[in-house]
Amino acid sequence: MEQVPQMKKIQVISLTKSFIERRSRHSSFIPCIKNSRCLVLDNLNFEIEDGMFTCFVGPSGCGKSTLLRIMAGFDTPSSGKVVIDGQQVQGPGKKHIFVFQEDGLFPWMTVMENAAIGVDRKLNRQEQEDEIREYIDMVGLEGFENHYPHELSGGMRRRAEVARALITNPDILFMDEPFAALDFVTRLQMREEMLNVHAMFDSTILFITHDIEEALQLGDQVIVLGERPASVKADIPLPFSHPRDVMQGELSDIRKEIYFLMGLHNAL
């Protein structure tokens, strides 16, 4: 019997994005003239399988965040399309949760109250509270349920946001440089948390980072974007077990390749 090819979870097909530049000044990252059409994403094509942890890397200003917003349905392409589960994306999905780079907790709410936003309202009050506490404990915030965001460290606020996202049982988790503002040690701790989360849930995770080592430590797949207008420079599978030493063996070679693709010929 002939096998039917399995549909990919996400398909990005001939995706292009441009806009009219309204700013008078521009930088080397955004070389567009005022009132001219600026091409950001140029004919992107790639696929992502269900349950994959996919990391996106590329130079600053190349359009990674724009791509993620389009995939999440918060922005529209100029041409091409994004297809999820066989349906073209027309807007945000209820089971598609976005974690922004900026702190997204409501400052007037406690950790418990912030996490409660995504809880299943069909549960009774006690069941809701039990579920909220379960997710707070899962991200290591037991004992901080009644703290407000200003009473938490940066890493703890990130954990609270992850708990709030996970409690919705997302089908796809979009994460736009969620650890960019954290110190080095806290970033390492959050990487471990994300690996644990991915192992426990079936969610597909799309993760933007500037940190090549972070992408190699976390991802099942790394998509490398070039400078603006961005195209896909490489789509690299990472079938390696965790934990990973990115300075040794095949991962070290991949690391050097990504640095080279991003214009850095001497990987540090």
Side-chain angles (χ1 to χ4, degrees):
M1 180 181 296
E2 183 179 355
Q3 290 187 338
V4 178
Q6 187 176 4
M7 181 184 298
K8 301 297 183 180
K9 179 69 174 179
I10 302 172
Q11 296 171 293
V12 173
I13 303 169
S14 302
L15 183 69
T16 297
K17 178 66 176 180
S18 62
F19 64 92
I20 300 298
E21 178 59 70
R22 301 300 184 188
R23 290 169 293 184
S24 298
R25 297 181 180 181
H26 64 270
S27 68
S28 58
F29 298 127
I30 310 174
C32 296
I33 301 172
K34 184 179 180 180
N35 295 326
S36 68
R37 182 157 292 278
C38 186
L39 183 61
V40 182
L41 304 173
D42 186 14
N43 193 35
L44 270 59
N45 292 275
F46 58 85
E47 296 178 332
I48 296 172
E49 295 183 6
D50 191 18
M52 294 287 278
F53 195 133
T54 300
C55 294
F56 296 85
V57 298
S60 294
C62 75
K64 298 185 297 296
S65 294
T66 299
L67 171 61
L68 202 67
R69 288 196 299 271
I70 292 173
M71 295 174 72
F74 292 116
D75 200 350
T76 56
S78 301
S79 62
K81 59 185 177 180
V82 177
V83 177
I84 297 180
D85 293 328
Q87 300 293 320
Q88 184 172 344
V89 173
Q90 302 288 353
K94 292 182 179 179
K95 285 294 186 178
H96 301 168
I97 304 301
F98 206 109
V99 177
F100 294 92
Q101 181 176 345
E102 299 81 11
D103 195 339
L105 296 175
F106 294 111
W108 59 88
M109 291 183 175
T110 64
V111 170
M112 192 86 172
E113 291 167 339
N114 267 284
I117 292 172
V119 74
D120 187 351
R121 301 302 173 182
K122 295 178 182 178
L123 302 175
N124 64 44
R125 185 172 180 178
Q126 186 59 53
E127 289 172 333
Q128 289 182 23
E129 182 173 331
D130 291 344
E131 184 166 272
I132 294 166
R133 290 186 182 279
E134 178 183 350
Y135 280 87
I136 289 175
D137 294 352
M138 185 186 302
V139 297
L141 288 179
E142 183 179 4
F144 293 90
E145 296 88 346
N146 297 317
H147 284 60
Y148 289 91
H150 73 273
E151 299 175 308
L152 305 175
S153 67
M156 294 168 78
R157 290 195 296 272
R158 291 278 89 175
R159 286 185 169 91
E161 288 195 69
V162 170
R164 185 174 65 182
L166 292 177
I167 203 170
T168 65
N169 190 25
D171 183 46
I172 302 177
L173 187 58
F174 299 85
M175 307 188 77
D176 187 3
E177 295 191 71
F179 309 149
L182 303 180
D183 64 83
F184 179 72
V185 172
T186 306
R187 285 185 72 133
L188 294 180
Q189 293 171 339
M190 289 306 301
R191 290 178 197 176
E192 290 186 8
E193 293 289 348
M194 286 310 304
L195 288 175
N196 291 334
V197 163
H198 191 230
M200 293 175 65
F201 294 87
D202 294 328
S203 299
T204 301
I205 300 177
L206 308 181
F207 188 99
I208 288 180
T209 178
H210 278 103
D211 192 321
I212 294 172
E213 284 74 26
E214 184 169 71
L216 293 175
Q217 288 174 339
L218 292 176
D220 301 313
Q221 173 186 17
V222 174
I223 294 175
V224 184
L225 301 180
E227 293 184 355
R228 185 181 288 199
S231 59
V232 176
K233 291 286 188 179
D235 185 346
I236 304 171
L238 299 174
F240 306 101
S241 60
H242 297 281
R244 297 172 178 174
D245 184 348
V246 302
M247 301 299 181
Q248 300 292 329
E250 189 174 352
L251 276 171
S252 176
D253 294 335
I254 294 172
R255 173 178 175 270
K256 292 176 182 177
E257 177 188 355
I258 295 175
Y259 270 100
F260 182 81
L261 290 169
M262 292 178 61
L264 300 170
H265 295 201
N266 294 307
L268 301 176

